[in-house]
Amino acid sequence: MSGNIQLLSDTLAGARAEGRAALIAYLPAGFPTVDGGIEAIKAVLDGGADVVEVGLPHSDPVLDGPVIQTADDIALRGGVRIADVMRTVKEAYEATGRPILVMTYWNPIDRYGVERFTAELAEAGGAGCILPDLPVQESALWREHAEKHGLATVFVVAPSSKDERLAKITAAGSGFVYAASLMGVTGTRESVGAQAQELVERTRGTGTGLPVCVGLGVSDAAQAAEVAGFADGVIVGSAFVKRMLDAPDDAAGVAAVRDLAGELAKGVRRQV
């Protein structure tokens, strides 16, 4: 079975045709439970997200701030496994027909086996992977299997990335480019910053035509509208996770993330 990279590309192109940025949400698998996480992801898509990144919980998430680390800890203590991540992708995709990506560090894939991981992700209906710590120069094996199975390879670029490196990353990647809006870890912030717009412009300047989506720091509709003014997609993670953590129970958490998705969906349409 082939993965859904084309669905991802079509979704991003569709948002652009509507004159807006895509809304990309992140939630970790297994949080607060595997079933609860699936319901939350479906709620986010129902609320207005175009794409979802399913986080593969990791014990040492170097890119993630304290909010996502807390959620990862809950998922890991609950015994979440890669099989649960694949189930989350499968059920979210089958229920919504939307592009579902996995965001993961390289070590779990390396230990699981690249061929096995890519085959199972494609079988689940996944659209690809975001790989924040896989250097592009060490990615040939992954890209070979991802391409074979119809999966996107999304690399992360940062304001510190030199133009030469940006060119190599965008040439090797597919689906879209994840532009980290600033140096540091994930989390909500009062301002996304001018660095993000400059990074988007430099990344587009490589000429590959890949959409450039911005994450790290976006937490409300006004910030989503700001980023939507210059990016192809707006990525929101910690704000969704925080709504879940702050909710008094799982049902309230699901309702809270659905509401936030609706607010952010208005933001990417600049209806703030």
Side-chain angles (χ1 to χ4, degrees):
M1 179 174 174
S2 182
N4 273 311
I5 184 173
Q6 191 60 51
L7 176 62
L8 175 64
S9 297
D10 291 347
T11 299
L12 294 172
R16 179 182 291 181
E18 293 175 13
R20 66 174 178 90
L23 175 59
I24 303 174
Y26 166 95
L27 281 168
F31 167 71
T33 61
V34 176
D35 289 340
I38 292 168
E39 290 308 307
I41 288 166
K42 291 193 290 189
V44 162
L45 288 163
D46 181 54
D50 299 290
V51 180
V52 163
E53 303 172 9
V54 175
L56 195 161
H58 195 273
S59 57
D60 185 24
V62 293
L63 185 70
D64 297 313
V67 170
I68 291 176
Q69 285 184 28
T70 298
D72 278 3
D73 287 345
I74 291 168
L76 290 168
R77 286 202 304 271
V80 70
R81 296 289 183 266
I82 287 178
D84 299 312
V85 177
M86 298 299 178
R87 180 187 150 211
T88 299
V89 171
K90 180 179 175 65
E91 293 195 16
Y93 169 64
E94 290 182 346
T96 66
R98 305 282 181 82
I100 313 293
L101 298 141
V102 170
M103 184 165 187
T104 178
Y105 298 97
W106 179 245
N107 182 256
I109 295 177
D110 192 38
R111 291 178 62 185
Y112 197 72
V114 177
E115 169 60 22
R116 180 185 178 194
F117 190 95
T118 51
E120 290 183 6
L121 182 55
E123 184 67 27
C129 259
I130 301 165
L131 301 160
D133 67 339
L134 178 63
V136 66
Q137 64 271 21
E138 298 174 18
S139 66
L141 178 64
W142 164 266
R143 287 187 286 122
E144 175 191 340
H145 289 287
E147 186 174 351
K148 180 172 78 171
H149 290 290
L151 299 170
T153 298
V154 179
F155 290 113
V156 178
V157 298
S160 60
S161 301
K162 305 297 184 187
D163 289 350
E164 181 183 359
R165 179 161 176 76
L166 286 178
K168 289 179 180 177
I169 290 171
T170 56
S174 56
F176 64 90
V177 180
Y178 186 127
S181 64
L182 38 71
M183 302 304 295
V185 297
T186 58
T188 61
R189 292 174 173 83
E190 292 182 4
S191 174
V192 178
Q195 289 184 100
Q197 184 167 0
E198 181 191 1
L199 178 57
V200 169
E201 290 170 356
R202 289 198 298 121
T203 304
R204 284 183 177 148
T206 61
T208 62
L210 276 182
V212 185
C213 303
V214 171
L216 272 65
V218 179
S219 60
D220 59 33
Q223 290 174 333
E226 176 193 352
V227 174
F230 58 81
D232 298 296
V234 180
I235 303 169
V236 182
S238 294
F240 282 113
V241 175
K242 190 172 189 307
R243 291 279 180 111
M244 295 284 289
L245 287 169
D246 290 346
D249 55 53
D250 291 357
V254 168
V257 295
R258 182 184 288 109
D259 289 346
L260 178 58
E263 295 165 20
L264 293 166
K266 291 180 181 177
V268 298
R269 291 164 174 82
R270 289 174 283 234
Q271 299 172 349
V272 181

